[in-house]
Amino acid sequence: MLLLEVTQGLAAGRTFELTSEVAGIGRAPSNELVLEDMHVSGEHARVTLHEGRVVLTDLRSTNGTTLIRRSERRRLTGEQSSVDLETGDVIELGSGDGVTSMRATITDDTDVARVVSMTRLDEVEPAAAIVERDPGALSALYAAQKRIGAGNDLDQVLIEVADAVLGLVHTATHVTIVLRDDDQSDASTTAAFVPVMTRVRMAGGASGPPSGPVPITRAVYRRVVKERAAVLAADAPEDVGHTESIMGASIRSTIGVPLWRGEEIIGVLQADNRNAPGMLNGSDVELLLVLASNASLAVANARLIKRLVLAEDRLQKENSFLKGREEKRRGGGSQVEIIGKSEAMRKVIDHLDKVVDTRVTVLIEGETGTGKELIAAAVHYRSRRRDKLFVAQNCAALAESLLESELFGHKKGSFTGAVDEKKGLFEIADGGTLFLDEITETPMSLQSKLLRALQEGEIRPVGATAPKHVNVRIVAATNRNLEEEVARGRFREDLYYRLKVFPIRLPPLRERRDDIPLIAAHFLKRYCDEIGKPIGGFSQQAMELMTAYNWPGNVRELQNEVQRLVIQCDAGSFATPELLSPRIRQVEGLVGRAGVAKGTLKEMMDSVEKFFLIESLREHGNNKTNSAKTLGITREGLHKKLRQFGI
């Protein structure tokens, strides 16, 4: 038993007695010890009493917990969040001026049972021998097992088990089921046993829930757990001892039978006689042992199913959260909008439509800022995998050791700082799509693991001894020339061939100038809505300058320019040339020199583009190779444009 005397705080001068196996301390009403001080968290700390130990654990409280022992202070935090209490210890909840102090006193546990008989688990007789001595119990046991096996969830199974005890043991008036608390977050704390359900014999013999609180004796089930045995106390007040909990519960006789799974005790069935003259006996113990041998499996399975259901629910919520966050980041909606009507973009979209519902790896090549991640998302959201996760990782953003853990996960304790097991992105994206941006930045030592994941669908977390199989669609992207990286020995050739099964080249913005007005209008609407400032649009001259500019940063640079324009413009006005960045206005004079006649946007843009082609050829003495290099296009691309304009 733990006594806590509050020496500082709103409850100063009061003494609290904690007798529960697990007792919460905090401001929330659900705690066994409620402290109303504002610096105390809702669920601040927990005390666990088990097998003579009293363990204090800080529950990641806001203001922290400190233990003072013989003038030495110890802050409970992180991996050192639990400590065994001793008499005389001072517990401080909070810090600075906001502190609640309590002095701990641990008293001897007088709830130690003096039992009449005990049957250890390794001494249990075969069920056939027990039933042979009492043939009438066979049908009752069979009917009880059928009801227990038909239970749909943990609560229903526990009710059927408790009712079966009352049906088999006619002199029992109360049945309590005690289960081991396996859900404590602190692995260093010994699991406690907690009463979870009590059923009573009602008038007429039927069983049901108690009408009010039922005092529970801890003496018997503690002895059952400690001795790994069934315990019988034929006359509880005399044979078990005049303990506080037994006397308070008015128990005449009691039986405690373990629930077990292999070598583990997972709970206790406790049957009490509280108000009838008949006493529980050894035959009752034998019957309950037979019942418990099968009920143990049902309870263990029901708890496992409950954990799996909760885990599945949590994963579904995490999945929905991640998908929602991804959709929000892309601007909302499950469809990826690709803006562009130019010939170059039509080819890209045609390529996408051919590959989306295949399993082949897609490699997206293009300069920085061309929208490679957008195309990768389109591969996912246009495919049958759209209901699963799309997960993206920039391979250049993490160091080698961190990147391996991020992609493949790690086991607890596999390296310094691995305090918990972690799932990798391959496992998180199982069934969906994993986008690996800047794939050429992956270290050579990690490329072999990527190759195995691509070929076999097999990953091995850091520190794991067995591989895991995943079904992940890989989309990779790079702004470098992979062939050159292979030739220079910076990229594995076998991984290169595995990645470049279906390459898609994303054209830079200067090769799809017809799309610039469409993309600029899209970003204008987005930032007007985001900032809450209506803008009339772009003036004709501003759009001409933007279309003539080469945009070395591609779509990303255009996006930033439009955002800057919206910030600068007055509400309701138009974006005019003087608001553009100086680097874009540099072409203003050239546009004038091109002698663009009034006409459609395409006609005017064709005139400007033709002028630039002629000017470049003139500057380089008709050297088409140098002209193409200056214009940022290939020689073949230059020939195509010269034929288009009849030059």
Side-chain angles (χ1 to χ4, degrees):
M1 183 184 302
L2 174 64
L3 299 177
L4 291 177
E5 178 188 359
V6 182
T7 58
Q8 180 178 337
L10 295 178
R14 296 180 60 189
T15 299
F16 296 89
E17 176 184 307
L18 300 183
T19 58
S20 302
E21 297 281 334
V22 181
I25 302 175
R27 205 169 63 249
S30 57
N31 291 287
E32 282 72 18
L33 173 48
V34 179
L35 299 171
E36 298 179 352
D37 306 77
M38 293 304 298
H39 52 266
V40 175
S41 298
E43 295 180 353
H44 197 107
R46 179 183 62 232
V47 173
T48 305
L49 288 75
H50 183 71
E51 294 185 351
R53 294 178 60 198
V54 181
V55 181
L56 173 69
T57 303
D58 180 79
L59 301 178
R60 298 181 181 177
S61 59
T62 302
N63 297 312
T65 303
T66 302
L67 179 75
I68 304 174
R69 179 177 297 164
R70 293 184 289 275
S71 301
E72 292 185 5
R73 301 177 64 87
R74 174 179 172 183
R75 190 77 167 174
L76 304 186
T77 181
E79 297 181 9
Q80 305 295 324
S81 61
S82 295
V83 64
D84 283 72
L85 286 176
E86 298 178 2
T87 295
D89 288 346
V90 175
I91 303 169
E92 288 187 352
L93 308 181
S95 60
D97 295 333
V99 172
T100 296
S101 298
M102 299 178 290
R103 186 177 302 279
T105 302
I106 301 174
T107 62
D108 292 335
D109 189 355
T110 58
D111 269 355
V112 178
R114 299 194 306 276
V115 300
V116 169
S117 65
M118 184 181 300
T119 305
R120 301 187 184 278
L121 288 181
D122 53 7
E123 300 171 350
V124 176
E125 291 187 69
I130 297 172
V131 172
E132 185 178 348
R133 290 197 298 270
D134 186 6
L138 179 59
S139 59
L141 279 169
Y142 176 71
Q145 298 296 353
K146 282 187 64 176
R147 291 194 301 272
I148 293 171
N152 295 323
D153 55 29
L154 180 60
D155 290 340
Q156 184 63 35
V157 168
L158 295 180
I159 289 173
E160 294 296 346
V161 170
D163 289 355
V165 173
L166 291 172
L168 291 169
V169 182
H170 302 292
T171 52
T173 59
H174 294 66
V175 175
T176 298
I177 299 179
V178 180
L179 294 181
R180 188 177 63 187
D181 183 8
D182 290 335
D183 299 326
Q184 295 190 40
S185 58
D186 185 5
S188 65
T189 302
T190 304
F193 285 79
V194 181
V196 295
M197 177 179 292
T198 295
R199 300 278 286 181
V200 300
R201 192 180 302 279
M202 313 290 285
S207 59
S211 58
V214 177
I216 303 298
T217 173
R218 298 175 301 279
V220 173
Y221 74 72
R222 287 180 180 176
R223 175 57 71 88
V224 170
V225 173
K226 182 177 181 180
E227 302 293 344
R228 299 175 55 80
V231 172
L232 167 63
D235 190 356
E238 295 182 6
D239 293 331
V240 178
H242 288 72
T243 64
E244 178 185 349
S245 59
I246 284 184
M247 296 303 293
S250 300
I251 294 175
R252 301 288 301 278
S253 55
T254 186
I255 296 174
V257 176
L259 298 170
W260 68 94
R261 182 181 56 192
E263 296 298 316
E264 295 180 296
I265 301 295
I266 64 172
V268 177
L269 287 181
Q270 184 167 312
D272 301 329
N273 180 317
R274 303 200 181 202
N275 52 23
M279 295 298 176
L280 305 177
N281 55 49
S283 298
D284 297 327
V285 176
E286 293 175 345
L287 275 176
L288 292 189
L289 279 169
V290 175
L291 177 71
S293 64
N294 291 307
S296 298
L297 180 61
V299 172
N301 288 342
R303 296 195 79 179
L304 177 59
I305 291 172
K306 183 177 182 180
R307 292 193 195 98
L308 291 175
V309 170
L310 292 174
E312 183 180 14
D313 183 59
R314 184 174 65 252
L315 287 174
Q316 288 179 347
K317 289 179 180 177
E318 290 175 355
N319 195 327
S320 300
F321 168 76
L322 290 172
K323 288 179 66 177
R325 186 176 65 178
E326 172 63 24
E327 291 174 4
K328 183 178 180 181
R329 189 177 66 83
R330 293 196 325 272
S334 60
Q335 296 298 319
V336 177
E337 183 180 7
I338 301 176
I339 300 172
K341 297 182 179 179
S342 63
E343 181 65 24
M345 287 308 297
R346 279 201 295 269
K347 289 182 178 179
V348 170
I349 295 172
D350 287 343
H351 276 68
L352 280 180
D353 292 339
K354 293 175 181 177
V355 78
V356 288
D357 280 326
T358 67
R359 294 192 61 183
V360 301
T361 302
V362 176
L363 177 66
I364 304 173
E365 300 174 301
E367 298 178 5
T368 298
T370 49
K372 295 187 287 295
E373 185 171 347
L374 180 71
I375 299 301
V379 172
H380 174 77
Y381 287 103
R382 292 184 180 212
S383 73
R384 289 188 289 266
R385 295 174 178 258
R386 67 179 66 90
D387 293 331
K388 302 296 183 179
L389 281 180
F390 172 76
V391 181
Q393 174 61 47
N394 188 328
C395 297
L398 295 174
E400 177 180 350
S401 58
L402 295 178
L403 182 59
E404 181 178 1
S405 171
E406 190 71 15
L407 292 178
F408 302 111
H410 64 252
K411 305 296 287 185
K412 181 178 179 180
S414 56
F415 55 84
T416 302
V419 295
D420 292 305
E421 184 172 335
K422 176 184 177 180
K423 285 186 177 182
L425 296 183
F426 270 92
E427 195 172 352
I428 291 173
D430 193 12
T433 304
L434 176 59
F435 173 54
L436 300 176
D437 198 7
E438 306 297 348
I439 189 68
T440 52
E441 301 300 325
T442 307
M444 291 290 289
S445 59
L446 196 56
Q447 290 178 21
S448 60
K449 291 190 174 184
L450 278 177
L451 180 63
R452 184 170 184 81
L454 290 172
Q455 288 179 333
E456 309 295 337
E458 190 175 273
I459 62 170
R460 189 187 297 270
V462 179
T465 57
K468 294 182 178 181
H469 290 274
V470 292
N471 174 20
V472 179
R473 171 75 173 277
I474 299 296
V475 179
T478 179
N479 60 1
R480 296 187 183 182
N481 188 308
L482 266 183
E483 290 88 343
E484 293 181 3
E485 295 298 306
V486 171
R488 294 175 182 176
R490 294 199 293 249
F491 201 81
R492 290 178 62 109
E493 187 174 8
D494 48 3
L495 180 57
Y496 162 72
Y497 288 120
R498 172 59 65 173
L499 286 174
K500 204 163 184 175
V501 176
F502 195 93
I504 295 178
R505 179 183 176 272
L506 200 54
L509 201 53
R510 60 182 174 273
E511 294 182 14
R512 42 183 290 224
R513 295 183 187 273
D514 293 353
D515 294 333
I516 291 177
L518 297 175
I519 299 172
H522 168 77
F523 288 130
L524 182 70
K525 182 179 183 304
R526 176 194 290 188
Y527 291 117
C528 284
D529 294 341
E530 183 178 305
I531 297 175
K533 181 195 294 185
I535 302 297
F538 301 97
S539 68
Q540 179 178 338
Q541 190 177 7
M543 182 54 67
E544 290 173 352
L545 292 172
M546 292 171 67
T547 308
Y549 180 58
N550 268 343
W551 300 105
N554 293 295
V555 177
R556 186 179 296 123
E557 184 183 4
L558 175 58
Q559 178 180 355
N560 294 338
E561 181 68 21
V562 173
Q563 184 180 25
R564 200 180 65 83
L565 285 173
V566 173
I567 294 173
Q568 290 188 102
C569 280
D570 295 328
S573 63
F574 284 82
T576 52
E578 62 271 12
L579 298 177
L580 294 172
S581 300
R583 63 183 183 279
I584 299 176
R585 294 203 308 270
Q586 285 178 355
V587 300
E588 189 171 4
L590 292 175
V591 173
R593 287 166 51 198
V596 180
K598 294 290 184 180
T600 65
L601 179 61
K602 186 178 186 309
E603 291 172 343
M604 292 187 291
M605 291 308 307
D606 286 346
S607 298
V608 173
E609 190 171 3
K610 182 177 180 181
F611 170 77
F612 285 145
L613 291 172
I614 295 172
E615 282 291 301
S616 179
L617 288 170
R618 183 183 58 78
E619 289 177 3
H620 292 285
N622 287 327
N623 187 315
K624 295 178 181 177
T625 300
N626 292 339
S627 295
K629 187 175 181 180
T630 300
L631 292 170
I633 58 178
T634 63
R635 181 182 172 87
E636 291 75 14
L638 177 60
H639 276 290
K640 181 179 178 181
K641 289 184 178 295
L642 292 177
R643 287 194 301 271
Q644 177 185 342
F645 292 114
I647 301 175

